[in-house]
Amino acid sequence: YRFLVDAAGDGAVPPAILPGSKKLGDERSSAAPEAVAGEGFLMDGYRERKLLERYLEIVALRQGMTLNEVRLLMYLSQPYQAENRKELADFADMSRRSLSVNLQKLASKGLIKLDEVRETTGGKKRLRITLLSAAEPVLQDLASAQNDYDHARLADFSEEELIQYACLMEKIKGNIRRVLQ
């Protein structure tokens, strides 16, 4: 009994009898049924995010990581390289505090190498993140999760519909880029 009290001495783990408390490892991403059935572009974005989280959660459980760590690693694996923490937090849709915590967790697990380099001109700090070889199994699981996500979204599409969808998405991306530049 004393061991359990000492182990949970930080006060961050609520007793199991309190409402909303869960056994460690039982956390699950859930989707609000009203939002899943709802209409509109905000609901569309919500459903896509929840579907992706469902597949990322499988990776997180398999790799012994949190969903936020897996999401951040997914963002870091993209060709885009943020120049600083503020830009990366915006790209990854995380608060700067959450970003810093998750970067430190990934670095402590040996998945990334984190450097902040001062430029010689101007003295600005540049963020440099390197994915290490230990991240490869997670990246492979992420690629599989992305594939499963795409299969779920595009199920029952004919080859012609897939081609048409890809063409229309390219037009949409071009329109968005043009407006945001």
Side-chain angles (χ1 to χ4, degrees):
Y1 175 76
R2 180 78 182 137
F3 168 78
L4 294 175
V5 171
D6 287 342
D10 63 357
V13 179
I17 59 172
L18 292 179
S21 64
K22 294 186 180 217
K23 195 169 90 176
L24 190 60
D26 286 346
E27 306 87 1
R28 291 282 186 259
S29 174
S30 61
E34 298 84 21
V36 170
E39 292 298 323
F41 76 96
L42 291 177
M43 297 304 162
D44 293 341
Y46 173 81
R47 280 188 290 270
E48 284 197 29
R49 180 174 51 89
K50 287 302 188 175
L51 180 62
L52 179 60
E53 283 179 3
R54 176 175 284 180
Y55 292 104
L56 294 180
E57 190 171 53
I58 294 168
V59 175
L61 291 171
R62 186 178 298 141
Q63 297 294 334
M65 299 170 70
T66 65
L67 182 59
N68 278 337
E69 291 170 339
V70 169
R71 280 184 57 237
L72 181 55
L73 199 57
M74 179 184 68
Y75 283 106
L76 294 174
S77 69
Q78 300 303 304
Y80 169 76
Q81 291 293 312
E83 290 193 20
N84 54 47
R85 287 176 187 256
K86 181 181 177 184
E87 198 175 295
L88 181 58
D90 186 37
F91 179 64
D93 195 25
M94 292 183 169
S95 70
R96 287 172 71 179
R97 184 183 188 297
S98 178
L99 174 75
S100 292
V101 167
N102 286 299
L103 283 173
Q104 290 303 321
K105 285 181 178 180
L106 292 175
S108 71
K109 291 180 179 185
L111 301 175
I112 64 169
K113 182 180 176 198
L114 182 61
D115 292 314
E116 292 197 62
V117 181
R118 283 210 185 270
E119 291 181 352
T120 54
T121 57
K124 276 176 65 175
K125 276 186 178 178
R126 256 185 95 80
L127 185 64
R128 186 172 42 194
I129 300 172
T130 308
L131 295 173
L132 301 176
S133 60
E136 194 57 38
V138 184
L139 295 176
Q140 289 173 356
D141 278 354
L142 281 171
S144 177
Q146 173 71 42
N147 189 36
D148 293 345
Y149 168 75
D150 286 338
H151 280 294
R153 286 185 322 129
L154 305 172
D156 301 327
F157 274 41
S158 69
E159 190 172 334
E160 182 180 307
E161 289 171 327
L162 288 172
I163 292 168
Q164 187 176 18
Y165 173 79
C167 290
L168 293 172
M169 283 306 296
E170 283 304 313
K171 277 187 172 183
I172 291 170
K173 287 181 212 174
N175 291 340
I176 292 171
R177 284 184 189 115
R178 194 171 39 258
V179 170
L180 292 178
Q181 288 179 343

